[in-house]
Amino acid sequence: MQKQLNHNQRAAVCHENGPMLVLAGPGSGKTTVLLCRIRRLLEQGLARPNEILALTFSRAAADEMRERFRAAHGADGVSFGTFHSIFFRILRSRYGWGMERVLAEEERRSAVRGILEEMEWDIPDLDEYTAQFLTQLSLMKNELAELSAFRPNGIPPAEFKKLCRAYEGYKERQEKTDFDDMLTECYWLLEKDAEARKYWQRRFRYILVDEFQDVNRAQFECLRILAEEHGNLFVVGDDDQSIYGFRGARPDFLLKFQDVFPNAARVTLNINYRSTDRIILLAERVISQNGARFTKEMTGIGEEGQKVTFFLAATPAMEAERIGEKIASLLDEGVPMREIAVITRTNLQCGAFARELYRRSIPYELRDSGGNIYEHWITKDLLAYLLLAENEEADSALRRILNKPKRYISKELLAEAEKMPYTLLRSFFVCPSLKKWQEQQLENLQEDLANIRKKMPYDGLKYVRKVIGYDEYLEEYAAYRKTSAQALWEIAEEITEMAKDAADAAAFREGLEEMSRQMKERPKDSGRERNGVVLTTMHGAKGLEFQEVFLPTLVEGVVPHEKGVSAGELEEERRLFYVAMTRAKEHLCLSAVRSRYDKETEPSRFLGEMGLDAASIFQKKIKKS
């Protein structure tokens, strides 16, 4: 074992008692260090297998660690698990809870949807609202925050509090708990129950934590309590790869580890065995711009590798086409599909590359579980306008967009019209309670539908958004929901862009249905072997590696994202980009676009930080590929 490890890896493995912080850069062999340390603890007689706890964040990672350890060392009895599984074991031992008590994710969503339906709030899409609520609820609990002090994102605070109380009441009546409760309830048990606290502190003599940069406050506080008895908390992580701020994870817990544990030893694994020297050099130039970090000075193993390449395209569609060409060439050269990845900042961006690869009959896999924009309520609204323009008797389409934007057609007037023996639009005009100004609104709608009917789908959608005022409706909706109008506009832009190739509304709908089907066929098992070119976000790429990596659309507002406005948010955006760059083993291709959604762009500041004079490149003519 000693001969196979480098100097710093051996220092980590051979550490015996007391806390230790292991800073592990990308590709530095952190899992090997964890497993070798466990083996050494057993061989040196420092602990019995059941006194060792190894924690990580996903079931797949925990299973992999367990199997690798068993295969290499033939030992059993060590507790390999996720935070949730181990914390639930602690709760079960105290309260006798079984898994039947835990709400599955779909049960959880169904419960919230049911509460929302009872409340009869005016919400365009229950599923999206439910997902947003549960994300914010998780963040609040991960932070151990009080409901009265928490400020949710994307939901008005009064609505959040009311829904939160209703959901907690539902769980209490059903005698249920959920995955977030596993963390908070475990914390309160360890904090308040001295007997339970002492038992588990003595049980786990040595605690090892992988991906420590991803812990949230609830997890950190539980670890702190569990380690009080013996002090043997061994954490492995990289502050430069802390990218889950939206879940309550932040690098502070890693950066301040030695403040909480003053006698903690520290070692840095700074040899990257994954990437070539050129990739490592550029990645280091970028991440060194962050202030709140440990300096690591990552190096490779002396393999310079190919040059990192960059190209500029006129539009995202042209960028996707060029990347499609490059991927086709790589496949012709014999590069396995599973070794090629396009890594985007947002799930939304994957659509252009999915369509391009589909057009070329190149298999691909969408790795992220982000929302299906082809079934988003904005998509359904835009499609409804096209369908209604083609057929004014499409009553369901009319109901959908009747007050998008606001036409002040009340629920009472709608109910009155629905009792008439005609199609809905015609029925409005014969309603006795119809006011003159409402009649004018409906006549304007008919005129707009006639104008859309004369246009191709792409121009029709532009008309809906800019002339009818659908974009203004989205802005008003975002203001009410305390969320980003830009995020909603981007969905509308992506769907509008997709309409460019559609001859009519029927073809547009077929295209949406096909892309939606492919989104739903995303592989459920993230641990299985990949069978296509990988399309993933920067968040989804964490933990993966590829021979060939494409990082597209490196422009301000995308990378870094427009929401990264504060200093702390910008540093997380930089960490995301660093993670994406260091997924590449042999070749990294960067690209940008001169305009996006008919607006001129500026090159990402990260390009300049790595030494590329992107501003000058943007001023030159774009070379034809």
Side-chain angles (χ1 to χ4, degrees), residues 139-171:
L139 178 59
M140 182 183 76
K141 293 198 171 186
N142 291 343
E143 288 282 307
L144 297 176
E146 295 290 334
L147 178 59
S148 59
F150 183 71
R151 292 292 175 265
N153 179 36
I155 300 178
E159 281 186 16
F160 180 81
K161 288 176 183 177
K162 186 174 182 179
L163 185 52
C164 188
R165 291 188 181 108
Y167 175 61
E168 293 300 326
Y170 169 86
K171 287 191 297 181

Short mmCIF file of all heavy atoms in Angstrom, two decimals, residues 139-171:
data_model
loop_
_atom_site.label_atom_id
_atom_site.label_comp_id
_atom_site.label_asym_id
_atom_site.label_seq_id
_atom_site.Cartn_x
_atom_site.Cartn_y
_atom_site.Cartn_z
N LEU A 139 -33.86 23.59 1.90
CA LEU A 139 -32.82 24.54 2.24
C LEU A 139 -33.01 25.06 3.66
O LEU A 139 -32.04 25.14 4.44
CB LEU A 139 -32.84 25.71 1.25
CG LEU A 139 -31.83 26.83 1.49
CD1 LEU A 139 -30.40 26.28 1.46
CD2 LEU A 139 -32.00 27.94 0.47
N MET A 140 -34.24 25.38 4.02
CA MET A 140 -34.52 25.88 5.37
C MET A 140 -34.12 24.85 6.42
O MET A 140 -33.48 25.18 7.42
CB MET A 140 -36.00 26.22 5.51
CG MET A 140 -36.38 26.79 6.87
SD MET A 140 -38.15 27.10 7.05
CE MET A 140 -38.75 25.41 7.29
N LYS A 141 -34.48 23.60 6.19
CA LYS A 141 -34.18 22.56 7.17
C LYS A 141 -32.68 22.24 7.20
O LYS A 141 -32.11 22.01 8.27
CB LYS A 141 -35.00 21.31 6.88
CG LYS A 141 -36.49 21.55 7.09
CD LYS A 141 -37.26 20.26 7.23
CE LYS A 141 -38.69 20.56 7.66
NZ LYS A 141 -39.46 19.34 7.95
N ASN A 142 -32.05 22.22 6.03
CA ASN A 142 -30.61 21.97 5.99
C ASN A 142 -29.84 23.04 6.76
O ASN A 142 -28.77 22.77 7.33
CB ASN A 142 -30.12 21.92 4.55
CG ASN A 142 -30.61 20.69 3.81
OD1 ASN A 142 -31.05 19.73 4.42
ND2 ASN A 142 -30.55 20.72 2.49
N GLU A 143 -30.37 24.25 6.76
CA GLU A 143 -29.73 25.36 7.45
C GLU A 143 -30.09 25.40 8.94
O GLU A 143 -29.58 26.24 9.68
CB GLU A 143 -30.14 26.69 6.81
CG GLU A 143 -29.53 26.93 5.44
CD GLU A 143 -28.09 27.39 5.55
OE1 GLU A 143 -27.80 28.36 6.25
OE2 GLU A 143 -27.23 26.75 4.92
N LEU A 144 -31.01 24.51 9.36
CA LEU A 144 -31.53 24.53 10.74
C LEU A 144 -32.14 25.90 11.05
O LEU A 144 -32.03 26.42 12.16
CB LEU A 144 -30.45 24.19 11.76
CG LEU A 144 -29.83 22.79 11.66
CD1 LEU A 144 -28.69 22.63 12.66
CD2 LEU A 144 -30.88 21.70 11.88
N ALA A 145 -32.77 26.48 10.03
CA ALA A 145 -33.33 27.83 10.16
C ALA A 145 -34.76 27.77 10.72
O ALA A 145 -35.48 26.80 10.51
CB ALA A 145 -33.34 28.53 8.81
N GLU A 146 -35.14 28.83 11.40
CA GLU A 146 -36.50 28.97 11.89
C GLU A 146 -37.40 29.47 10.77
O GLU A 146 -36.99 30.31 9.96
CB GLU A 146 -36.55 29.95 13.06
CG GLU A 146 -35.79 29.51 14.30
CD GLU A 146 -36.47 28.33 14.99
OE1 GLU A 146 -37.71 28.18 14.85
OE2 GLU A 146 -35.77 27.56 15.68
N LEU A 147 -38.64 28.97 10.73
CA LEU A 147 -39.58 29.37 9.70
C LEU A 147 -39.80 30.89 9.71
O LEU A 147 -39.87 31.52 8.65
CB LEU A 147 -40.92 28.65 9.89
CG LEU A 147 -42.04 28.99 8.90
CD1 LEU A 147 -41.61 28.69 7.47
CD2 LEU A 147 -43.31 28.22 9.25
N SER A 148 -39.86 31.48 10.88
CA SER A 148 -40.12 32.91 10.99
C SER A 148 -39.00 33.77 10.41
O SER A 148 -39.24 34.90 9.96
CB SER A 148 -40.33 33.29 12.46
OG SER A 148 -39.18 32.95 13.22
N ALA A 149 -37.79 33.22 10.39
CA ALA A 149 -36.63 34.00 9.91
C ALA A 149 -36.22 33.66 8.49
O ALA A 149 -35.44 34.39 7.87
CB ALA A 149 -35.44 33.77 10.85
N PHE A 150 -36.76 32.58 7.93
CA PHE A 150 -36.31 32.12 6.61
C PHE A 150 -36.94 32.95 5.49
O PHE A 150 -38.14 33.24 5.53
CB PHE A 150 -36.67 30.64 6.43
CG PHE A 150 -36.19 30.05 5.14
CD1 PHE A 150 -34.83 29.82 4.92
CD2 PHE A 150 -37.08 29.72 4.14
CE1 PHE A 150 -34.39 29.27 3.73
CE2 PHE A 150 -36.65 29.17 2.94
CZ PHE A 150 -35.29 28.95 2.74
N ARG A 151 -36.12 33.29 4.49
CA ARG A 151 -36.61 34.05 3.35
C ARG A 151 -36.50 33.18 2.09
O ARG A 151 -35.41 33.02 1.54
CB ARG A 151 -35.78 35.34 3.17
CG ARG A 151 -36.00 36.35 4.29
CD ARG A 151 -37.42 36.91 4.23
NE ARG A 151 -37.70 37.80 5.37
CZ ARG A 151 -38.29 37.40 6.49
NH1 ARG A 151 -38.65 36.13 6.64
NH2 ARG A 151 -38.53 38.25 7.46
N PRO A 152 -37.62 32.63 1.64
CA PRO A 152 -37.58 31.72 0.49
C PRO A 152 -37.33 32.45 -0.82
O PRO A 152 -37.62 33.65 -0.95
CB PRO A 152 -38.98 31.09 0.49
CG PRO A 152 -39.84 32.15 1.11
CD PRO A 152 -38.99 32.82 2.15
N ASN A 153 -36.81 31.74 -1.78
CA ASN A 153 -36.57 32.28 -3.11
C ASN A 153 -37.64 31.72 -4.05
O ASN A 153 -37.86 30.52 -4.10
CB ASN A 153 -35.18 31.87 -3.60
CG ASN A 153 -34.90 32.40 -5.00
OD1 ASN A 153 -35.32 33.50 -5.34
ND2 ASN A 153 -34.22 31.62 -5.81
N GLY A 154 -38.31 32.61 -4.80
CA GLY A 154 -39.28 32.17 -5.79
C GLY A 154 -40.68 31.97 -5.27
O GLY A 154 -41.58 31.63 -6.05
N ILE A 155 -40.90 32.17 -3.97
CA ILE A 155 -42.23 32.03 -3.38
C ILE A 155 -42.43 33.18 -2.39
O ILE A 155 -41.55 33.41 -1.55
CB ILE A 155 -42.40 30.68 -2.64
CG1 ILE A 155 -42.20 29.51 -3.60
CG2 ILE A 155 -43.77 30.58 -1.98
CD1 ILE A 155 -42.30 28.15 -2.94
N PRO A 156 -43.54 33.89 -2.46
CA PRO A 156 -43.79 34.95 -1.47
C PRO A 156 -43.72 34.37 -0.05
O PRO A 156 -44.26 33.29 0.22
CB PRO A 156 -45.21 35.42 -1.81
CG PRO A 156 -45.36 35.10 -3.28
CD PRO A 156 -44.60 33.83 -3.48
N PRO A 157 -43.05 35.06 0.89
CA PRO A 157 -42.86 34.53 2.24
C PRO A 157 -44.15 34.11 2.94
O PRO A 157 -44.19 33.07 3.60
CB PRO A 157 -42.20 35.71 2.98
CG PRO A 157 -41.47 36.45 1.90
CD PRO A 157 -42.34 36.34 0.69
N ALA A 158 -45.22 34.89 2.78
CA ALA A 158 -46.49 34.54 3.44
C ALA A 158 -47.03 33.22 2.91
O ALA A 158 -47.54 32.37 3.67
CB ALA A 158 -47.51 35.66 3.25
N GLU A 159 -46.95 33.03 1.59
CA GLU A 159 -47.40 31.77 0.98
C GLU A 159 -46.56 30.61 1.48
O GLU A 159 -47.08 29.53 1.80
CB GLU A 159 -47.30 31.86 -0.55
CG GLU A 159 -48.42 32.61 -1.21
CD GLU A 159 -48.35 32.54 -2.73
OE1 GLU A 159 -47.61 31.66 -3.25
OE2 GLU A 159 -49.01 33.34 -3.40
N PHE A 160 -45.25 30.82 1.55
CA PHE A 160 -44.34 29.75 1.98
C PHE A 160 -44.68 29.31 3.40
O PHE A 160 -44.76 28.12 3.69
CB PHE A 160 -42.89 30.22 1.89
CG PHE A 160 -41.90 29.19 2.32
CD1 PHE A 160 -41.51 28.17 1.45
CD2 PHE A 160 -41.35 29.21 3.60
CE1 PHE A 160 -40.60 27.19 1.85
CE2 PHE A 160 -40.45 28.24 4.00
CZ PHE A 160 -40.07 27.24 3.13
N LYS A 161 -44.87 30.27 4.28
CA LYS A 161 -45.15 29.93 5.68
C LYS A 161 -46.46 29.16 5.80
O LYS A 161 -46.55 28.17 6.53
CB LYS A 161 -45.20 31.21 6.52
CG LYS A 161 -43.85 31.84 6.73
CD LYS A 161 -43.96 33.16 7.49
CE LYS A 161 -42.58 33.83 7.63
NZ LYS A 161 -42.67 35.14 8.29
N LYS A 162 -47.48 29.62 5.08
CA LYS A 162 -48.79 28.96 5.16
C LYS A 162 -48.70 27.53 4.63
O LYS A 162 -49.23 26.59 5.25
CB LYS A 162 -49.81 29.75 4.36
CG LYS A 162 -51.24 29.22 4.50
CD LYS A 162 -52.25 30.12 3.81
CE LYS A 162 -53.66 29.58 4.00
NZ LYS A 162 -54.68 30.46 3.36
N LEU A 163 -48.01 27.36 3.51
CA LEU A 163 -47.89 26.03 2.91
C LEU A 163 -47.02 25.13 3.77
O LEU A 163 -47.29 23.93 3.92
CB LEU A 163 -47.30 26.16 1.50
CG LEU A 163 -47.20 24.88 0.66
CD1 LEU A 163 -48.53 24.15 0.61
CD2 LEU A 163 -46.72 25.21 -0.75
N CYS A 164 -45.97 25.69 4.34
CA CYS A 164 -45.08 24.93 5.20
C CYS A 164 -45.83 24.39 6.42
O CYS A 164 -45.72 23.20 6.76
CB CYS A 164 -43.91 25.80 5.65
SG CYS A 164 -42.62 24.90 6.53
N ARG A 165 -46.63 25.24 7.04
CA ARG A 165 -47.40 24.80 8.21
C ARG A 165 -48.41 23.72 7.82
O ARG A 165 -48.63 22.76 8.56
CB ARG A 165 -48.10 26.00 8.85
CG ARG A 165 -47.13 26.99 9.51
CD ARG A 165 -47.87 28.07 10.28
NE ARG A 165 -46.93 29.02 10.89
CZ ARG A 165 -46.76 30.27 10.48
NH1 ARG A 165 -47.47 30.73 9.46
NH2 ARG A 165 -45.88 31.06 11.07
N ALA A 166 -49.02 23.88 6.66
CA ALA A 166 -50.00 22.89 6.20
C ALA A 166 -49.33 21.54 5.93
O ALA A 166 -49.86 20.48 6.28
CB ALA A 166 -50.71 23.40 4.95
N TYR A 167 -48.15 21.59 5.32
CA TYR A 167 -47.42 20.35 5.01
C TYR A 167 -46.95 19.65 6.29
O TYR A 167 -47.06 18.43 6.43
CB TYR A 167 -46.24 20.67 4.10
CG TYR A 167 -45.34 19.49 3.81
CD1 TYR A 167 -45.82 18.35 3.17
CD2 TYR A 167 -43.99 19.51 4.19
CE1 TYR A 167 -44.99 17.27 2.90
CE2 TYR A 167 -43.16 18.43 3.94
CZ TYR A 167 -43.67 17.32 3.29
OH TYR A 167 -42.85 16.24 3.05
N GLU A 168 -46.44 20.42 7.24
CA GLU A 168 -46.01 19.83 8.51
C GLU A 168 -47.21 19.22 9.25
O GLU A 168 -47.09 18.17 9.88
CB GLU A 168 -45.31 20.87 9.37
CG GLU A 168 -43.98 21.38 8.82
CD GLU A 168 -42.94 20.28 8.64
OE1 GLU A 168 -42.92 19.34 9.46
OE2 GLU A 168 -42.16 20.37 7.68
N GLY A 169 -48.35 19.90 9.14
CA GLY A 169 -49.56 19.35 9.75
C GLY A 169 -49.98 18.05 9.11
O GLY A 169 -50.41 17.11 9.80
N TYR A 170 -49.85 17.98 7.80
CA TYR A 170 -50.18 16.74 7.08
C TYR A 170 -49.30 15.59 7.56
O TYR A 170 -49.80 14.49 7.84
CB TYR A 170 -50.00 16.96 5.58
CG TYR A 170 -50.05 15.69 4.76
CD1 TYR A 170 -51.26 15.18 4.31
CD2 TYR A 170 -48.88 14.99 4.44
CE1 TYR A 170 -51.31 14.00 3.58
CE2 TYR A 170 -48.92 13.82 3.70
CZ TYR A 170 -50.14 13.33 3.28
OH TYR A 170 -50.19 12.16 2.56
N LYS A 171 -48.00 15.84 7.66
CA LYS A 171 -47.09 14.78 8.11
C LYS A 171 -47.42 14.32 9.53
O LYS A 171 -47.38 13.12 9.84
CB LYS A 171 -45.63 15.27 8.04
CG LYS A 171 -45.08 15.36 6.64
CD LYS A 171 -43.57 15.59 6.66
CE LYS A 171 -43.22 16.90 7.31
NZ LYS A 171 -41.77 17.15 7.31
#
